[in-house]
Amino acid sequence: MAKLVSKVYGDALFELAVESDRIDEFYEESEELIKILEENSDLSKMMCHPKIDKEEKIEVVENIFKGRMSDEIVGLMVMVIEKDHFKNMEDIFSYYIDSVKEYRNIGVAYVKSPMELSDKQKKEIEKKLLDTTDYVKFEMNYEIEPDLIGGLVIRIGDRIVDSSIKTKIYELSKTMSKIQLKVGETAP
């Protein structure tokens, strides 16, 4: 349900942004809004509290955001509150941000490695991704995961390329466990 809510409202905001040629403005405001919501958990708790009525919640949002953000963004927030979907607010604006990245052909890659990568290695990875995908630019996110032992795990959307030694050892052990030798037999 949350995915459907974020898609419906996120798509509506994206269509409005394209029609009004305000993609960048709404993008920046969406990033700022998400940051505000992440940093102010008390605001989210209050906005999701069942004993606070919608009118009060709308008043709070208008007092905080009117004049700081466009009327369209504030209006969307009010509409989301009226429909009791405040808990999906971050997802809605994240969906919009993702839609803009897709529209602009910007990929988002998550790269896990067992140790810190040099700038040269990072540039090589990004170049390889640009050469092997249809994206014109990448937003790169790096994470160190020592358990990988060696190699990399790269995720772009729902696609994963796993060349880690950890995975290769796991696959080898699965294969080896399927090989059963009978007592007295020798392996070929």
Side-chain angles (χ1 to χ4, degrees), residues 63-153:
N63 286 338
I64 294 172
F65 297 103
K66 215 170 199 146
R68 287 182 72 187
M69 301 214 170
S70 66
D71 291 343
E72 292 82 359
I73 295 291
V74 175
L76 178 62
M77 292 174 70
V78 167
M79 188 184 318
V80 169
I81 293 167
E82 287 172 345
K83 299 290 184 183
D84 283 326
H85 293 303
F86 186 87
K87 66 184 175 294
N88 304 111
M89 193 75 72
E90 274 185 62
D91 294 336
I92 291 166
F93 289 97
S94 292
Y95 184 92
Y96 171 76
I97 289 170
D98 291 343
S99 297
V100 171
K101 288 177 184 173
E102 278 297 314
Y103 179 75
R104 294 211 166 121
N105 225 6
I106 299 170
V108 180
Y110 297 89
V111 180
K112 292 182 183 180
S113 63
M115 63 194 78
E116 184 69 35
L117 298 171
S118 69
D119 288 340
K120 182 181 179 203
Q121 289 171 316
K122 289 177 180 179
K123 284 179 180 144
E124 288 173 5
I125 292 167
E126 187 173 357
K127 183 182 180 333
K128 184 72 169 174
L129 292 176
L130 288 169
D131 291 345
T132 57
T133 65
D134 293 332
Y135 293 111
V136 296
K137 183 179 175 185
F138 267 98
E139 185 179 289
M140 303 296 291
N141 300 283
Y142 294 95
E143 182 182 336
I144 297 171
E145 192 173 308
D147 290 354
L148 295 179
I149 305 168
L152 299 171
V153 176

Side-chain angles (χ1 to χ4, degrees), residues 32-89:
E32 182 66 24
L33 179 60
I34 290 170
K35 186 177 172 189
I36 290 168
L37 293 173
E38 287 173 346
E39 292 173 354
N40 298 286
S41 60
D42 289 343
L43 174 63
S44 294
K45 285 178 191 170
M46 184 193 79
M47 298 304 287
C48 292
H49 198 284
K51 291 191 177 178
I52 299 174
D53 64 27
K54 290 179 190 176
E55 289 76 26
E56 287 180 85
K57 293 176 183 178
I58 290 169
E59 189 177 321
V60 168
V61 164
E62 288 177 337
N63 286 338
I64 294 172
F65 297 103
K66 215 170 199 146
R68 287 182 72 187
M69 301 214 170
S70 66
D71 291 343
E72 292 82 359
I73 295 291
V74 175
L76 178 62
M77 292 174 70
V78 167
M79 188 184 318
V80 169
I81 293 167
E82 287 172 345
K83 299 290 184 183
D84 283 326
H85 293 303
F86 186 87
K87 66 184 175 294
N88 304 111
M89 193 75 72

Side-chain angles (χ1 to χ4, degrees), residues 1-16 76 79-80 83 85 88 91-93 95-96 99:
M1 177 71 172
K3 277 220 183 266
L4 179 62
V5 169
S6 61
K7 178 175 174 26
V8 168
Y9 288 103
D11 282 343
L13 180 59
F14 183 74
E15 287 176 31
L16 175 64
L76 178 62
M79 188 184 318
V80 169
K83 299 290 184 183
H85 293 303
N88 304 111
D91 294 336
I92 291 166
F93 289 97
Y95 184 92
Y96 171 76
S99 297

